[in-house]
C-alpha cells in the first residue's frame, strides 16, 4: 500500500468464473487505485484503474517490472482435465503457472498472495485434480514468503460460466437441489456462488492473521 493508502493489485485469471467477479469488485473498490491483469487474449473491458498486459504465462519478466511493490496478487487461474486435454496441460495451468507467479510476486516485492485452490486439495490424494491442487499449495507455501499467503478452497462453484460444462451443470442442479441434506461435517460440500468466493478473497487479503487455508464454509461466511 502506497502513500495515499490505496492498493495496487494484480489479478491473474480475470476471464474465469471467480476472476471475472473479482475484477468487477476490484474496479468498484474505492480502496483500490490500480488493477493490472495479465492475459493471453484481449480483455473486453476498459476502466481508468485497469491495465491489461499481454503475456504468454511462460515467463513474467515484463509483468514483474510493471507490478513492482504492488500490494496483492490474486491468482484465480485454473482449468479442468477436459479443457486442458492432458495431465501435462492441466499441470501447466494449475501447478506450474501459480508457482511461476509466486516466484515473480516475491521478486517484485508483492506482499500478499491469495490463490484459488479446491476443497479437498491434498498432495497425498489419489485424485489427480486434488493432488495437483495440494502440491501447488504445498510448494508455494514451502518455497516463497509473503506477508499474507492464503489458499481459498471453494466447493462446487455456481455462477454464469462463459463456456458450457454439461457435466458440471448437471452436478450443480443436483447439488443445489439436495444441498439441504448436506449437514454436519458434510455441510462444507454445499455449492458456493462465484461472488461469495470473490468477496471472500478480498476479505482474506485484508486479514492480518497467519491462516493459510480457507475452506468453503468459511468462504461463504466471509463472502456474505
Amino acid at each position: 500500500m502506497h502513500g495515499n493508502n490505496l492498493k495496487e493489485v494484480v489479478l491473474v485469471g480475470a476471464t474465469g468464473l471467480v476472476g471475472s467477479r473479482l475484477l468487477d469488485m476490484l474496479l468498484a473498490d474505492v480502496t483500490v487505485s490500480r488493477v493490472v491483469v495479465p492475459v493471453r487474449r484481449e480483455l473486453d473491458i476498459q476502466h481508468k484503474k485497469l491495465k491489461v498486459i499481454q503475456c504468454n504465462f511462460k515467463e513474467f519478466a515484463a509483468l514483474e517490472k510493471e507490478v513492482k511493490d504492488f500490494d496483492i496478487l490474486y491468482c484465480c487461474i485454473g482449468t479442468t482435465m477436459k479443457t486442458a486435454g492432458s495431465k501435462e496441460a492441466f499441470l501447466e495451468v494449475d501447478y506450474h503457472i501459480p508457482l511461476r507467479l509466486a516466484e515473480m510476486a516475491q521478486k517484485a516485492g508483492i506482499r500478499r498472495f491469495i490463490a484459488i485452490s479446491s476443497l479437498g486439495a491434498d498432495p497425498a490424494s489419489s485424485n489427480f485434480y486434488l493432488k495437483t491442487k495440494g502440491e501447488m499449495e504445498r510448494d508455494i507455501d514451502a518455497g516463497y514468503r509473503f506477508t499474507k499467503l492464503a489458499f481459498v478452497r471453494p466447493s462446487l462453484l455456481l455462477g454464469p460460466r462463459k463456456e458450457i460444462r454439461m457435466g458440471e451443470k448437471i452436478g450443480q442442479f443436483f447439488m443445489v437441489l439436495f444441498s439441504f441434506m448436506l449437514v454436519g461435517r458434510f455441510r462444507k460440500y454445499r455449492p458456493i456462488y462465484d461472488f461469495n468466493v470473490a468477496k471472500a478473497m478480498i476479505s482474506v487479503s485484508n486479514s492480518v492473521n497467519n491462516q493459510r487455508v480457507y475452506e468453503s464454509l468459511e468462504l461463504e461466511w466471509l463472502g456474505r
Side-chain angles (χ1 to χ4, degrees), residues 103-196:
E103 181 179 15
M104 182 281 298
Q106 182 172 274
K107 287 180 178 178
I110 295 174
R111 289 168 281 286
R112 287 170 271 176
F113 189 97
I114 315 298
I116 289 184
S117 183
S118 174
L119 189 66
D122 183 351
S125 176
S126 59
N127 177 285
F128 180 74
Y129 179 88
L130 298 178
K131 177 181 173 66
T132 301
K133 293 292 191 181
E135 289 174 340
M136 178 270 291
E137 291 184 11
R138 178 197 64 197
D139 294 346
I140 290 178
D141 193 11
Y144 306 98
R145 290 291 173 264
F146 301 97
T147 302
K148 176 70 177 182
L149 171 64
F151 304 99
V152 300
R153 294 179 177 177
S155 58
L156 179 67
L157 288 168
L158 302 176
R161 292 189 183 275
K162 293 180 180 178
E163 77 278 18
I164 297 174
R165 299 177 179 178
M166 189 53 65
E168 194 170 76
K169 284 286 186 185
I170 294 170
Q172 286 180 357
F173 174 78
F174 284 105
M175 285 292 282
V176 171
L177 186 63
F178 297 108
S179 63
F180 72 94
M181 299 175 65
L182 297 172
V183 296
R185 63 192 178 96
F186 297 106
R187 184 180 174 86
K188 66 182 180 179
Y189 295 105
R190 290 183 178 184
I192 184 170
Y193 280 97
D194 52 352
F195 57 83
N196 290 124

Side-chain angles (χ1 to χ4, degrees), residues 40-224:
R40 290 191 180 96
R41 296 177 294 276
E42 289 294 330
L43 188 65
D44 190 25
I45 298 176
Q46 291 186 339
H47 193 281
K48 62 182 180 181
K49 292 183 184 180
L50 178 64
K51 180 165 186 179
V52 178
I53 297 178
Q54 293 289 324
C55 186
N56 64 15
F57 286 71
K58 293 291 186 183
E59 57 85 24
F60 294 107
L63 180 63
E64 180 186 335
K65 294 177 183 177
E66 185 70 37
V67 300
K68 192 72 174 174
D69 294 324
F70 267 36
D71 299 282
I72 309 166
L73 188 148
Y74 295 103
C75 179
C76 297
I77 196 164
T79 188
T80 63
M81 281 295 298
K82 182 178 179 181
T83 301
S86 68
K87 286 186 175 181
E88 291 74 17
F90 179 82
L91 281 169
E92 171 63 18
V93 175
D94 281 65
Y95 176 82
H96 292 295
I97 291 177
L99 261 74
R100 287 187 207 122
L101 287 168
E103 181 179 15
M104 182 281 298
Q106 182 172 274
K107 287 180 178 178
I110 295 174
R111 289 168 281 286
R112 287 170 271 176
F113 189 97
I114 315 298
I116 289 184
S117 183
S118 174
L119 189 66
D122 183 351
S125 176
S126 59
N127 177 285
F128 180 74
Y129 179 88
L130 298 178
K131 177 181 173 66
T132 301
K133 293 292 191 181
E135 289 174 340
M136 178 270 291
E137 291 184 11
R138 178 197 64 197
D139 294 346
I140 290 178
D141 193 11
Y144 306 98
R145 290 291 173 264
F146 301 97
T147 302
K148 176 70 177 182
L149 171 64
F151 304 99
V152 300
R153 294 179 177 177
S155 58
L156 179 67
L157 288 168
L158 302 176
R161 292 189 183 275
K162 293 180 180 178
E163 77 278 18
I164 297 174
R165 299 177 179 178
M166 189 53 65
E168 194 170 76
K169 284 286 186 185
I170 294 170
Q172 286 180 357
F173 174 78
F174 284 105
M175 285 292 282
V176 171
L177 186 63
F178 297 108
S179 63
F180 72 94
M181 299 175 65
L182 297 172
V183 296
R185 63 192 178 96
F186 297 106
R187 184 180 174 86
K188 66 182 180 179
Y189 295 105
R190 290 183 178 184
I192 184 170
Y193 280 97
D194 52 352
F195 57 83
N196 290 124
V197 179
K199 190 175 179 181
M201 290 183 77
I202 293 174
S203 178
V204 167
S205 69
N206 291 329
S207 172
V208 296
N209 65 36
N210 293 321
Q211 185 172 341
R212 283 285 192 268
V213 173
Y214 295 78
E215 295 205 330
S216 209
L217 271 181
E218 195 166 7
L219 299 177
E220 187 174 9
W221 183 82
L222 289 170
R224 289 182 300 177

